[in-house]
């Protein structure tokens, strides 16, 4: 499924807003979106949220034979996946140009920059080394996937612990985390990518572009740098010509952003380490905000139940009996009435008429008499019928 292109009106609106130094989400030109780093229960698993862009990273390891050209170094393998769950524009089981570009940039940022000591991953020279696999899954795409993927990858690598091993002759024993504490990776520095989007032939630039802004950009500059202001990699795409002053300006901005993000990663690692040491709850489930329904919640009031009978008897004794019987229905509320013992029933016929069924002899006859003037009607009741009803009541 292809992505829906922007209309001309929306494109002109976005470009006009960028000219006026305004953004859709209210940010300034050099502002990042909110970054949230959450670690899972297992070592090397984390989720990074950059605004509404969500990326999941999982680091794993296994013992494999080394490469022939480097028998004493471990192997680093990176894999990034774009699933249709992240965006309807991503097709399953198909490598797009965006996927290939993101994989190459991630390898340049982390593997080619030598941020991890690969020689410490060697177990037996020429026979067994550790292969570190970094799997990055994009959960939701809202722009700037490269920055989110690099932050997730370096955070997961810093959080990962590999099993401890012991060598006796040619036998290699891998210990479980219960037998021996796992060993963290040896990380020299933390390279982080910072993306700059250029608009209107390089006249305007934005940091951390969202998905809508990426659609109208003319070029993209990605700078990978660590907190020591060392540029690990730099890549420009989009076919736009950049001046030397523009690249230097972007590098200065990137140094500030990288130092802030590195400090955030260190704080997240320290908090996770502290919670695990104290035995508290950790993981993705604990980091989710707890939303509970409190509408039907009522505060429980303590009730003393020791002298219930005595209190009830006192209340009954203090009540006064009614002196007069109620002779009319009691109105409980508007439109309702109560009829009970001692209350006159006025809802229908009399009780005598309801108890005694009418016979043919006692049936009242009605005679309609019309006068000559036809102006009045008189109903004459049969006198014999009236006489027959009186002795029945006396009985």
């Amino acid at each position: 499924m292809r992505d829906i292109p922007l209309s001309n009106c929306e494109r002109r609106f976005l470009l006009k807003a960028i000219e006026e130094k305004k953004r859709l989400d209210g940010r300034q030109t050099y502002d990042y979106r909110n970054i949230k780093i959450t670690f899972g229960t297992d070592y090397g698993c984390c989720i990074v949220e950059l605004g509404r862009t969500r990326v999941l990273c999982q680091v794993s390891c296994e013992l494999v034979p080394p490469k022939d050209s480097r028998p004493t170094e471990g192997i680093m393998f990176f894999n990034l996946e774009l699933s249709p769950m992240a965006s309807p524009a991503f097709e399953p089981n198909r490598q797009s140009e965006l996927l290939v570009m993101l994989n190459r940039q991630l390898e340049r940022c982390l593997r080619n920059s030598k941020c991890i000591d690969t020689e410490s991953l060697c177990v037996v020279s020429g026979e067994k080394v550790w292969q570190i696999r970094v799997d990055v899954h994009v959960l939701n795409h809202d722009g700037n996937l490269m920055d989110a993927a690099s932050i997730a990858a370096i955070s997961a690598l810093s959080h990962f612990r590999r099993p401890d091993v012991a060598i006796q002759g040619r036998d290699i024993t891998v210990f479980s985390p219960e037998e021996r504490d796992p060993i963290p990776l040896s990380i020299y520095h933390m390279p982080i990518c910072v993306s700059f989007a250029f608009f209107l032939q390089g006249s305007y630039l934005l940091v951390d572009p969202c998905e809508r802004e990426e659609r109208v950009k003319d070029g993209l500059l990605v700078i990978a740098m660590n907190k020591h202001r060392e540029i690990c990699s730099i890549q420009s795409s989009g076919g736009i010509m950049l001046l030397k002053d523009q690249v230097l300006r972007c590098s200065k901005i990137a140094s500030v952003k990288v130092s802030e993000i590195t400090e955030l990663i260190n704080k997240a690692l320290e908090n996770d380490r502290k919670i695990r040491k104290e035995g508290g709850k950790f993981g993705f489930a604990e980091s989710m905000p707890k939303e509970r329904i409190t509408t039907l919640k009522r505060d429980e009031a303590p009730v003393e139940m020791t002298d219930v009978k005595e209190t009830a008897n006192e209340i009954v004794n203090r009540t006064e009996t009614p002196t007069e019987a109620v002779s009319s229905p009691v109105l409980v509320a508007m439109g309702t009435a109560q009829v009970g013992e001692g209350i006159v029933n006025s809802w229908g016929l009399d009780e005598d008429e309801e108890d005694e069924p009418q016979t043919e002899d006692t049936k009242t006859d009605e005679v309609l008499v019309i006068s000559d003037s036809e102006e009045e009607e008189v109903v004459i009741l049969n006198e014999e019928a009236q006489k027959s009803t009186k002795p029945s009541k006396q009985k």
Side-chain angles (χ1 to χ4, degrees):
M1 179 179 178
R2 293 183 179 180
D3 199 1
I4 301 174
L6 291 177
S7 62
N8 294 331
C9 296
E10 192 171 4
R11 183 180 296 272
R12 287 194 297 267
F13 172 78
L14 290 171
L15 294 176
K16 186 66 175 178
I18 293 171
E19 290 180 6
E20 297 178 0
K21 297 182 180 180
K22 297 179 181 178
R23 306 182 73 170
L24 297 179
D25 49 8
R27 289 182 290 156
Q28 299 297 325
T29 304
Y30 304 140
D31 289 348
Y32 254 88
R33 288 172 289 181
N34 294 331
I35 301 176
K36 181 181 178 182
I37 302 175
T38 307
F39 295 105
T41 55
D42 298 333
Y43 285 111
C45 182
C46 75
I47 290 180
V48 173
E49 299 181 15
L50 181 60
R52 290 189 297 177
T53 299
R54 291 169 56 92
V55 175
L56 169 66
C57 185
Q58 176 67 58
V59 180
S60 58
C61 65
E62 62 176 344
L63 289 173
V64 296
K67 294 182 179 180
D68 296 336
S69 58
R70 297 179 178 178
T72 60
E73 294 184 4
I75 301 174
M76 295 286 296
F77 180 75
F78 296 90
N79 179 37
L80 193 144
E81 294 185 2
L82 303 177
S83 63
M85 178 180 63
S87 174
F90 299 152
E91 298 181 5
N93 302 326
R94 182 178 179 181
Q95 288 189 351
S96 60
E97 296 180 1
L98 178 62
L99 178 60
V100 175
M101 182 184 67
L102 291 175
N103 264 318
R104 290 178 179 176
Q105 289 182 0
L106 193 62
E107 289 180 357
R108 290 196 198 101
C109 176
L110 297 177
R111 185 171 62 185
N112 297 347
S113 63
K114 303 294 183 181
C115 65
I116 295 177
D117 184 12
T118 54
E119 292 183 357
S120 63
L121 301 176
C122 178
V123 180
V124 179
S125 178
E127 295 184 4
K128 291 293 181 181
V129 296
W130 286 108
Q131 179 184 2
I132 306 299
R133 180 186 177 94
V134 181
D135 292 302
V136 181
H137 303 268
V138 179
L139 303 179
N140 189 38
H141 173 41
D142 191 33
N144 201 7
L145 293 177
M146 191 61 238
D147 292 11
S150 65
I151 296 172
I154 193 63
S155 300
L157 287 171
S158 302
H159 187 256
F160 179 68
R161 304 286 188 274
R162 66 172 179 83
D164 193 8
V165 295
I167 303 172
Q168 294 180 356
R170 291 187 174 273
D171 296 335
I172 300 175
T173 305
V174 180
F175 296 98
S176 62
E178 290 78 12
E179 296 174 347
R180 288 189 183 180
D181 294 335
I183 301 173
L185 300 178
S186 179
I187 299 177
Y188 293 137
H189 57 92
M190 294 184 180
I192 297 172
C193 294
V194 180
S195 299
F196 300 88
F198 292 88
F199 304 89
L200 301 175
Q201 299 301 320
S203 302
Y204 303 93
L205 69 88
L206 295 177
V207 178
D208 183 24
C210 64
E211 192 263 342
R212 294 284 180 179
E213 293 170 347
E214 285 184 347
R215 292 191 183 188
V216 298
K217 73 178 186 301
D218 294 334
L220 186 67
L221 178 66
V222 180
I223 299 177
M225 184 182 294
N226 57 21
K227 68 177 181 179
H228 307 293
R229 298 184 179 181
E230 298 174 350
I231 295 179
C232 303
S233 67
I234 183 171
Q235 181 175 353
S236 176
S237 61
I240 185 173
M241 300 298 294
L242 298 177
L243 301 176
K244 177 183 177 182
D245 296 337
Q246 290 177 322
V247 177
L248 293 176
R249 181 185 177 186
C250 292
S251 63
K252 292 180 181 179
I253 299 171
S255 63
V256 177
K257 299 300 179 183
V258 167
S259 61
E260 294 176 356
I261 296 173
T262 304
E263 185 179 357
L264 177 64
I265 295 174
N266 292 330
K267 287 183 179 179
L269 292 170
E270 184 180 355
N271 291 337
D272 181 79
R273 196 181 306 110
K274 183 178 179 181
I275 293 174
R276 290 175 184 269
K277 185 178 180 180
E278 294 177 354
K281 295 182 180 180
F282 53 89
F284 296 144
E286 298 298 328
S287 63
M288 294 181 181
K290 297 180 180 179
E291 299 178 356
R292 299 178 179 178
I293 299 176
T294 58
T295 305
L296 303 179
K297 184 179 179 181
R298 293 186 301 176
D299 296 334
E300 296 181 358
V303 179
E304 185 67 28
M305 302 295 291
T306 56
D307 54 349
V308 177
K309 293 183 178 180
E310 297 178 358
T311 306
N313 293 331
E314 291 179 0
I315 295 174
V316 172
N317 296 331
R318 281 183 293 178
T319 55
E320 298 179 358
T321 57
T323 56
E324 298 180 358
V326 181
S327 59
S328 61
V330 179
L331 296 178
V332 181
M334 295 298 295
T336 62
Q338 178 182 356
V339 178
E341 186 178 357
I343 301 177
V344 178
N345 187 354
S346 61
W347 293 99
L349 300 175
D350 296 337
E351 296 180 358
D352 298 334
E353 295 179 0
E354 292 177 358
D355 295 336
E356 296 181 3
Q358 295 181 354
T359 58
E360 294 182 358
D361 298 335
T362 61
K363 185 177 181 181
T364 58
D365 295 333
E366 296 180 0
V367 181
L368 181 62
V369 179
I370 303 175
S371 63
D372 296 336
S373 61
E374 298 182 356
E375 293 180 354
E376 53 185 10
E377 297 178 357
V378 181
V379 179
I380 302 175
L381 300 178
N382 192 358
E383 296 180 356
E384 296 179 358
Q386 294 178 356
K387 294 178 181 180
S388 62
T389 57
K390 291 181 180 179
S392 64
K393 289 184 178 181
Q394 296 176 358
K395 292 180 182 180

